[in-house]
Amino acid sequence: MAATPVRVIVNFISRDKEAFLKSAKQVVLSSRKEPGCLVTNLYKEMGSTSEPGTTRFVVVSNWESEASLESHMKTEHVKMFGEQIKDHSSLEVIRRYQQLI
């Protein structure tokens, strides 16, 4: 039986959008090259967040399987991204969705 594709939506809130974007660009480009990555894109929320001086970003990615996503989460570039943004940005939520149709 074939693996089931997984969509992941990750929300971040940042107090330094330029620093976040610099780090996010690196992790998105590296993620796109990984085996199992079908697509990874970065989006910025339109309008303002509920917290003045912050910007919300969302990474939306599709993976061939839960296993490929799990491998991605353990990569060096994901770990480095977390280190680079920890002083100005925070992870709000990670949601995983199983493709049905």
Side-chain angles (χ1 to χ4, degrees), residues 9 12 16 18 20-21 25-26 44 50 52 56 61-62 73 75-76 78 84-85 87 92 95 100-101:
I9 300 175
F12 296 92
D16 185 342
E18 287 79 18
F20 181 88
L21 284 171
K25 181 177 180 180
Q26 293 170 351
K44 182 176 102 43
S50 60
R56 181 171 286 111
S61 58
N62 291 3
M73 297 303 286
T75 60
E76 195 58 36
V78 170
Q84 290 171 341
I85 68 165
D87 292 335
E92 288 187 305
R95 292 188 177 99
L100 299 177
I101 299 175

Side-chain angles (χ1 to χ4, degrees), residues 12-64:
F12 296 92
I13 191 127
S14 180
R15 292 175 306 284
D16 185 342
K17 67 181 178 182
E18 287 79 18
F20 181 88
L21 284 171
K22 181 179 177 184
S23 297
K25 181 177 180 180
Q26 293 170 351
V27 77
V28 166
L29 293 176
S30 294
S31 297
R32 287 177 177 170
K33 296 175 185 174
E34 286 182 57
C37 179
L38 302 174
V39 65
T40 297
N41 291 305
L42 175 68
Y43 300 89
K44 182 176 102 43
E45 182 177 40
M46 297 171 64
S48 59
T49 66
S50 60
E51 298 178 47
T54 63
T55 304
R56 181 171 286 111
F57 295 94
V58 179
V59 175
V60 179
S61 58
N62 291 3
W63 296 87
E64 288 179 353

